[in-house]
Amino acid sequence: AAAAAAIEVAHLSKVYKTARAVDGISFTVPRGSVTGLLGGNGAGKTTTIAMIMGLVLPSAGRIRVLGCGMPEQRADVLGRINFESPYVDMPSRLTVRQNLTVFGKLYAVPDLAGRIAELAADLDLTEFLDRASGKLSAGQKTRVALAKALINRPELLLLDEPTASLDPDTADWIRSHLESYRKQRGASILLASHNMLEVERMCDRVVIMKRGRIEDDDTPSAIMARYNRATLEDVFL
Ligand code: ATP
């Protein structure tokens, strides 16, 4: 249904042998929103995103993506979503063009050569297209990762700390690019971050995770008003 949320997660858990990584969380990513998933190291953000993508099997709970149950109907929505995670590396010996071609073919992107040229122009990558991906700087690699994530013009984008370890100017550039993509495409974004300022700037809503659970779920301004700096830092311990 068109009115369905971009993502609905209910009572979702992931238990590993040694850790309860995600412990019964429920939240919604409204259509067209940028929803932040905020939390410190080990809070469970990456595991949550991996379950939403269908890369990690939940121990319990339900996930609906663009109105479809997962993983039963995954094939119906996979072409309409994409993700970017630091844990999924691109082969570093392939050129940027080769890497983007592999991912574009996965999604059966029409006029793939044209789409790659368009993304390269948008993301300032034209001069690097025939360079080995592993030889690029951190900022250039992030732009390639973003090109990969946008190659199929996804209506739902899952981003796992897209600006971590970037210098402030590059991080800002990436945020602006994501914001203009969102507006142009009318896309929904789930953005995992441990940067409160980034979340405040980009997100309509924030879900705070701590030790596998949801600590809070509100607008960024309400979150900022409710927590003083000390308690907010406590969230990340
Ligand atoms: P980070 O910012 O460090 O990526 P995160 O919020 O993304 O943190 P997760 O990576 O989801 O957190 O990890 C949540 C917990 O689950 C951690 O305690 C982690 O050690 C554990 N964990 C994650 N993956 C596995 C795995 N494959 N096997 C066992 N434990 C795991």
Side-chain angles (χ1 to χ4, degrees):
I7 301 173
E8 292 172 80
V9 163
H11 313 296
L12 186 67
S13 293
K14 179 65 192 182
V15 184
Y16 293 109
K17 272 191 188 122
T18 51
R20 187 170 286 269
V22 174
D23 193 5
I25 63 171
S26 302
F27 68 92
T28 300
V29 176
R31 287 247 182 178
S33 76
V34 180
T35 295
L37 196 56
L38 198 71
N41 288 335
K45 309 181 297 294
T46 298
T47 304
T48 300
I49 287 186
M51 287 193 282
I52 293 167
M53 274 308 294
L55 299 174
V56 165
L57 202 63
S59 308
R62 282 182 295 111
I63 302 169
R64 289 182 76 78
V65 175
L66 299 174
C68 285
M70 298 280 274
E72 299 78 7
Q73 299 164 299
R74 201 183 301 161
D76 294 343
V77 294
L78 262 191
R80 296 153 60 201
I81 69 181
N82 205 349
F83 77 112
E84 166 49 25
S85 164
Y87 299 101
V88 181
D89 249 339
M90 286 178 270
S92 58
R93 285 163 62 200
L94 296 188
T95 65
V96 171
R97 191 191 306 278
Q98 287 169 332
N99 265 309
L100 294 179
T101 302
V102 169
F103 285 102
K105 287 192 170 172
L106 266 178
Y107 288 100
V109 170
D111 181 22
L112 182 53
R115 179 62 179 147
I116 290 173
E118 179 181 53
L119 280 166
D122 282 357
L123 291 164
D124 220 355
L125 285 169
T126 305
E127 60 182 303
F128 306 113
L129 276 179
D130 294 307
R131 205 171 287 183
S133 303
K135 297 239 162 96
L136 303 176
S137 73
Q140 291 157 357
K141 278 181 186 162
T142 304
R143 302 207 303 277
V144 174
L146 199 54
K148 187 208 96 183
L150 297 179
I151 194 121
N152 61 329
R153 294 190 178 83
E155 65 186 81
L156 172 59
L157 192 53
L158 308 171
L159 301 167
D160 195 353
E161 304 192 16
T163 63
S165 73
L166 294 179
D167 68 84
D169 285 349
T170 310
D172 243 38
W173 191 93
I174 295 282
R175 289 177 196 125
S176 302
H177 195 85
L178 286 170
E179 281 170 336
S180 67
Y181 176 79
R182 189 263 282 239
K183 276 199 203 109
Q184 253 175 43
R185 178 71 178 82
S188 316
I189 297 178
L190 178 63
L191 173 79
S193 179
H194 48 220
N195 181 338
M196 184 63 206
L197 292 176
E198 172 170 279
V199 162
E200 199 184 8
R201 166 174 159 179
M202 291 193 64
C203 299
D204 313 300
R205 290 184 52 261
V206 194
V207 174
I208 297 185
M209 285 189 76
K210 186 173 180 177
R211 293 193 203 97
R213 290 173 181 261
I214 291 186
E215 181 93 351
D216 213 332
D217 180 346
D218 214 325
T219 61
S221 55
I223 295 280
M224 289 301 268
R226 191 171 313 135
Y227 293 81
N228 61 41
R229 178 167 294 279
T231 55
L232 200 56
E233 279 167 5
D234 183 53
V235 163
F236 298 106
L237 294 179

